[in-house]
Coordinates of all heavy atoms in Angstrom, one line a residue:
V1 N 124.7 130.8 68.8 CA 125.8 131.8 69.1 C 126.7 131.4 70.3 O 126.1 130.5 71.1 CB 125.3 133.3 69.4 CG1 124.6 133.7 68.1 CG2 124.3 133.3 70.5
Q2 N 127.8 131.9 70.5 CA 128.6 131.8 71.6 C 128.2 132.7 72.6 O 127.7 133.8 72.5 CB 130.2 131.9 71.3 CG 130.8 130.9 70.4 CD 132.2 131.1 70.1 OE1 132.6 132.2 70.0 NE2 132.9 130.1 69.9
A3 N 128.4 132.2 73.9 CA 128.2 133.2 75.1 C 129.0 134.5 74.9 O 130.0 134.6 74.4 CB 128.7 132.4 76.3
G4 N 128.1 135.6 75.2 CA 128.7 136.9 75.0 C 128.3 137.5 73.7 O 128.5 138.7 73.5
G5 N 127.7 136.6 72.8 CA 127.3 137.1 71.4 C 126.0 137.8 71.6 O 125.3 137.9 72.5
S6 N 125.5 138.1 70.3 CA 124.3 138.9 70.2 C 123.4 138.3 69.0 O 124.0 137.6 68.0 CB 124.5 140.3 69.9 OG 125.2 140.9 70.8
L7 N 122.1 138.3 69.1 CA 121.2 138.0 68.1 C 120.1 139.1 68.1 O 119.8 139.7 69.1 CB 120.5 136.6 68.4 CG 121.4 135.4 68.0 CD1 120.6 134.2 68.6 CD2 121.7 135.3 66.6
R8 N 119.5 139.2 66.9 CA 118.2 140.1 66.9 C 117.1 139.3 66.3 O 117.1 138.8 65.2 CB 118.5 141.3 66.0 CG 117.4 142.3 66.0 CD 117.9 143.5 65.2 NE 116.8 144.7 65.3 CZ 115.9 145.0 64.3 NH1 115.9 144.2 63.2 NH2 115.1 146.0 64.4
L9 N 116.0 139.1 67.2 CA 114.9 138.4 66.7 C 113.8 139.4 66.1 O 113.7 140.5 66.5 CB 114.3 137.7 67.9 CG 115.1 136.7 68.6 CD1 114.2 136.0 69.7 CD2 115.8 135.6 67.7
S10 N 113.1 138.9 65.1 CA 112.2 139.7 64.5 C 110.9 138.9 64.4 O 110.9 137.7 64.3 CB 112.5 140.1 63.1 OG 113.7 140.8 63.0
C11 N 109.8 139.6 64.6 CA 108.4 138.9 64.4 C 107.6 139.9 63.6 O 107.3 141.0 63.8 CB 107.8 138.8 65.8 SG 106.2 138.2 65.7
A12 N 107.1 139.2 62.4 CA 106.2 139.9 61.5 C 104.8 139.5 61.6 O 104.6 138.3 61.6 CB 106.7 139.7 60.1
A13 N 103.9 140.4 62.0 CA 102.5 140.0 62.0 C 101.7 140.3 60.9 O 101.8 141.3 60.3 CB 101.9 140.7 63.3
S14 N 100.8 139.5 60.4 CA 100.0 139.8 59.3 C 98.6 139.3 59.6 O 98.3 138.6 60.6 CB 100.4 139.0 58.1 OG 100.5 137.6 58.3
R15 N 97.7 139.8 58.7 CA 96.2 139.6 58.8 C 95.7 140.1 60.2 O 94.8 139.5 60.8 CB 96.0 138.1 58.7 CG 96.3 137.5 57.3 CD 96.2 136.1 57.3 NE 96.6 135.5 55.9 CZ 96.9 134.3 55.6 NH1 96.9 133.4 56.8 NH2 97.2 134.0 54.4
I16 N 96.2 141.2 60.7 CA 95.8 141.7 61.9 C 94.8 142.9 61.4 O 95.3 143.9 60.9 CB 96.9 142.2 62.9 CG1 97.7 141.1 63.5 CG2 96.3 143.1 63.9 CD1 98.8 141.6 64.3
T17 N 93.6 142.7 61.9 CA 92.5 143.7 61.6 C 92.0 144.4 62.8 O 91.0 145.1 62.8 CB 91.3 142.9 60.9 OG1 90.8 142.0 61.7 CG2 91.8 142.3 59.5
F18 N 92.8 144.3 63.9 CA 92.3 144.9 65.2 C 93.4 145.7 65.7 O 94.6 145.6 65.4 CB 91.9 143.7 66.2 CG 92.9 142.7 66.4 CD1 94.0 142.8 67.3 CD2 92.8 141.5 65.7 CE1 95.0 142.0 67.4 CE2 93.8 140.4 65.9 CZ 94.9 140.7 66.8
S19 N 93.1 146.6 66.7 CA 94.1 147.3 67.4 C 94.8 146.4 68.5 O 94.1 145.6 69.1 CB 93.5 148.6 68.0 OG 92.6 148.2 69.0
I20 N 96.1 146.5 68.5 CA 96.8 145.6 69.5 C 97.1 146.4 70.9 O 97.2 147.6 70.8 CB 98.1 145.0 68.9 CG1 99.1 146.3 68.7 CG2 97.8 144.3 67.6 CD1 100.6 145.8 68.3
N21 N 97.0 145.6 71.9 CA 97.4 146.1 73.2 C 98.9 146.1 73.4 O 99.5 147.1 73.9 CB 96.6 145.4 74.3 CG 97.0 146.0 75.7 OD1 96.4 147.0 76.0 ND2 97.7 145.2 76.5
D22 N 99.5 145.0 73.0 CA 101.0 144.9 73.2 C 101.4 143.7 72.3 O 100.6 142.9 71.9 CB 101.3 144.7 74.7 CG 100.6 143.4 75.3 OD1 101.3 142.3 75.1 OD2 99.6 143.5 75.8
M23 N 102.7 143.7 72.2 CA 103.4 142.5 71.6 C 104.6 142.2 72.5 O 105.2 143.0 73.2 CB 103.9 142.9 70.1 CG 102.8 143.1 69.2 SD 103.3 143.3 67.5 CE 103.8 141.6 67.1
G24 N 104.9 140.8 72.4 CA 106.0 140.5 73.4 C 106.8 139.3 72.8 O 106.5 138.6 71.8
W25 N 107.8 139.0 73.6 CA 108.5 137.7 73.4 C 108.5 136.9 74.7 O 108.6 137.4 75.8 CB 109.9 138.0 73.0 CG 110.1 138.7 71.6 CD1 110.1 140.0 71.4 CD2 110.3 138.0 70.5 NE1 110.4 140.2 70.1 CE2 110.4 138.9 69.5 CE3 110.3 136.6 70.1 CZ2 110.6 138.7 68.1 CZ3 110.5 136.3 68.9 CH2 110.6 137.3 67.8
Y26 N 108.2 135.6 74.5 CA 108.2 134.6 75.6 C 109.4 133.6 75.1 O 109.6 133.4 73.9 CB 107.0 133.8 75.8 CG 105.8 134.8 76.4 CD1 105.3 135.9 75.6 CD2 105.4 134.6 77.7 CE1 104.3 136.6 76.2 CE2 104.4 135.3 78.2 CZ 103.9 136.4 77.4 OH 103.0 137.1 78.0
R27 N 109.8 132.7 76.0 CA 110.6 131.6 75.7 C 110.3 130.5 76.6 O 109.7 130.6 77.7 CB 112.2 132.0 75.8 CG 112.5 132.3 77.3 CD 114.0 132.9 77.4 NE 114.4 133.1 78.8 CZ 115.5 133.7 79.1 NH1 116.3 134.2 78.1 NH2 115.8 133.9 80.3
Q28 N 110.7 129.3 76.0 CA 110.5 128.0 76.7 C 111.8 127.2 76.5 O 112.1 126.8 75.3 CB 109.3 127.3 76.1 CG 108.9 126.0 76.9 CD 107.6 125.6 76.8 OE1 107.0 125.9 75.7 NE2 107.0 124.8 77.6
A29 N 112.4 126.9 77.7 CA 113.5 126.0 77.6 C 113.1 124.5 77.9 O 112.0 124.4 78.4 CB 114.6 126.4 78.7
P30 N 113.9 123.6 77.5 CA 113.6 122.2 77.7 C 113.2 122.0 79.2 O 114.0 122.3 80.1 CB 114.7 121.5 77.3 CG 115.5 122.2 76.3 CD 115.2 123.7 76.8
G31 N 112.1 121.3 79.5 CA 111.8 121.0 80.8 C 111.3 122.2 81.7 O 110.9 122.1 82.9

């Protein structure tokens, strides 16, 4: 996308048989 634009990320979890404490997003840029 161009600067100033928008994106919506989704994360689908499966095979979870436990209660979750939290979910989140992390990122890693080069270097």
Side-chain angles (χ1 to χ4, degrees):
V1 298
Q2 293 182 324
S6 298
L7 285 174
R8 185 173 187 261
L9 304 184
S10 299
C11 175
S14 62
R15 297 171 182 162
I16 292 182
T17 59
F18 53 81
S19 62
I20 65 172
N21 185 71
D22 61 86
M23 296 186 73
W25 290 94
Y26 290 70
R27 67 187 181 188
Q28 187 167 21

